[in-house]
Amino acid sequence: MRNIGNRSIPLYLMILPGLLFFLLFRYIPMGGLVLAFKDYDPLSGFASSPWVGFDNFRKLLVDPDFWIILRNTFVLSGINLIFFFPVPIIMALILNEARLPWVKKIVQTTIYIPHFVSWVVVAGITIVLFATQDGGINKLLVQNGLPRFELLTDPSYFRGLFLFQNIWKEMGWSTIIFLASLASVDPGLYEAAYVDGAGRWRQMWHITLPSLRSIAVILFILRLGQVMDVGFEQILLLQNSLNLQVSDVFDTFVFRNGVQQGEFSFTTAVGLFKSVVGLILVLSFNWIARKFGEEGVY
């Protein structure tokens, strides 16, 4: 027993940094949620600030911007879930069918490199290319007698731009998870299907896709938990007064009211509201998934 315990020490040391990370940055900060029920004054501190109950939540619900940011958050999250979420699955299926290993490696490396590019750089490239007056694309259009392309100032383009940037930047990184799942499929299943006369499409439909179903369901449920977190940096960098009606979400709302205006208690209540909505969605869809025979998250 002592030898077994000694052999386990390196494993415990390996998980220690992860445990410390979640303890310091996930669990200990949860104590700050008490601010949502107080009128926090930095000079008075946590303990001396007066309790206000659910006043901050009522203030959120009657705020004239609440329904706008709620709509925008759900619309942008819905766009991600409907259009972005299937893209890595499709890409994984395409790469899984590639017959030349070097082609598969080059394509996979090429599509996941953008994940390491900062949103600041992505937004900067977009602005340099599509700025209304000085953008490279618009300069070319004007020189050729064509009208300017108002990508950054026309609100109707914002959601499409948001989706395109997400696909370009995160498609490859998300594909890795599904490729790893496909790597665990027994090759004997494909051989048996080939012997039975199944072509590539039949093999994909009856073997490849079912092998991705469980991991896809789990990732979908986990993504629902972040449905209120649309992407602060990306949206803030592309946001301006002309597209505010379609780009203003809870994250940018919290930034304006919490960081710029110092309403710490109010924005803490907003954050708690977001977390509760995400928790309800995860619990609900996990229950639905288990009802349909899937494993779910737990």
Side-chain angles (χ1 to χ4, degrees):
M1 294 297 293
R2 178 176 297 179
N3 292 333
I4 295 177
N6 292 336
R7 289 201 300 268
S8 301
I9 290 178
L11 298 177
Y12 293 136
L13 292 176
M14 288 177 61
I15 66 174
L16 182 60
L19 291 176
L20 290 176
F21 172 82
F22 280 98
L23 179 65
L24 294 175
F25 297 103
R26 291 293 186 268
Y27 289 99
I28 292 180
M30 289 179 66
L33 292 176
V34 70
L35 293 184
F37 306 96
K38 287 193 169 190
D39 183 12
Y40 177 66
D41 180 9
L43 298 178
S44 301
F46 281 81
S48 301
S49 296
W51 292 91
V52 294
F54 291 94
D55 286 354
N56 290 315
F57 295 94
R58 283 191 287 267
K59 179 180 177 182
L60 171 64
L61 295 177
V62 300
D63 192 291
D65 293 330
F66 173 74
W67 295 107
I68 296 176
I69 60 178
L70 183 67
R71 179 201 64 196
N72 292 338
T73 300
F74 276 119
V75 168
L76 294 177
S77 293
I79 290 174
N80 266 340
L81 289 173
I82 296 173
F83 297 104
F84 171 71
F85 186 78
V87 171
I89 300 177
I90 297 173
M91 182 56 64
L93 293 174
I94 294 174
L95 292 176
N96 188 61
E97 297 298 321
R99 288 292 172 262
L100 298 176
W102 62 271
V103 172
K104 180 178 179 179
K105 291 179 180 179
I106 291 177
V107 173
Q108 185 176 348
T109 302
T110 303
I111 62 176
Y112 79 63
I113 284 177
H115 171 78
F116 301 99
V117 179
S118 169
W119 278 117
V120 176
V121 176
V122 175
I125 294 174
T126 305
I127 293 172
V128 167
L129 290 176
F130 295 100
T132 303
Q133 298 297 329
D134 301 324
I137 301 297
N138 280 321
K139 283 185 177 180
L140 289 176
L141 292 175
V142 172
Q143 290 173 3
N144 289 277
L146 298 173
R148 298 178 185 273
F149 183 42
E150 305 289 345
L151 181 68
L152 301 177
T153 55
D154 190 338
S156 62
Y157 291 126
F158 179 82
R159 291 165 181 167
L161 176 62
F162 170 81
L163 175 63
F164 176 80
Q165 286 186 340
N166 274 331
I167 292 176
W168 179 81
K169 189 175 186 299
E170 301 298 342
M171 172 185 63
W173 188 256
S174 301
T175 301
I176 295 176
I177 300 175
F178 296 105
L179 284 175
S181 179
L182 290 177
S184 63
V185 179
D186 185 3
L189 295 175
Y190 292 103
E191 295 174 2
Y194 178 77
V195 171
D196 290 339
R200 298 305 302 174
W201 286 105
R202 286 288 184 180
Q203 293 177 30
M204 181 186 297
W205 184 261
H206 293 288
I207 299 175
T208 308
L209 285 176
S211 67
L212 292 176
R213 185 175 61 192
S214 296
I215 187 65
V217 170
I218 291 174
L219 291 177
F220 182 81
I221 294 173
L222 293 177
R223 190 174 289 272
L224 285 173
Q226 301 175 345
V227 73
M228 304 295 281
D229 299 314
V230 184
F232 170 70
E233 291 182 0
Q234 178 189 9
I235 293 178
L236 182 67
L237 293 169
L238 296 175
Q239 191 176 82
N240 54 61
S241 58
L242 297 176
N243 62 24
L244 191 63
Q245 287 298 311
V246 296
S247 65
D248 199 17
V249 294
F250 279 102
D251 292 330
T252 55
F253 180 77
V254 168
F255 174 75
R256 286 198 311 274
N257 289 272
V259 177
Q260 295 182 333
Q261 300 181 18
E263 298 185 24
F264 302 110
S265 293
F266 176 59
T267 50
T268 302
V270 176
L272 183 56
F273 171 79
K274 290 169 49 184
S275 300
V276 171
V277 172
L279 176 63
I280 292 174
L281 289 174
V282 168
L283 294 177
S284 301
F285 279 85
N286 187 78
W287 178 81
I288 293 173
R290 294 183 66 86
K291 284 293 182 181
F292 280 91
E294 298 295 334
E295 294 182 2
V297 179
Y298 61 90

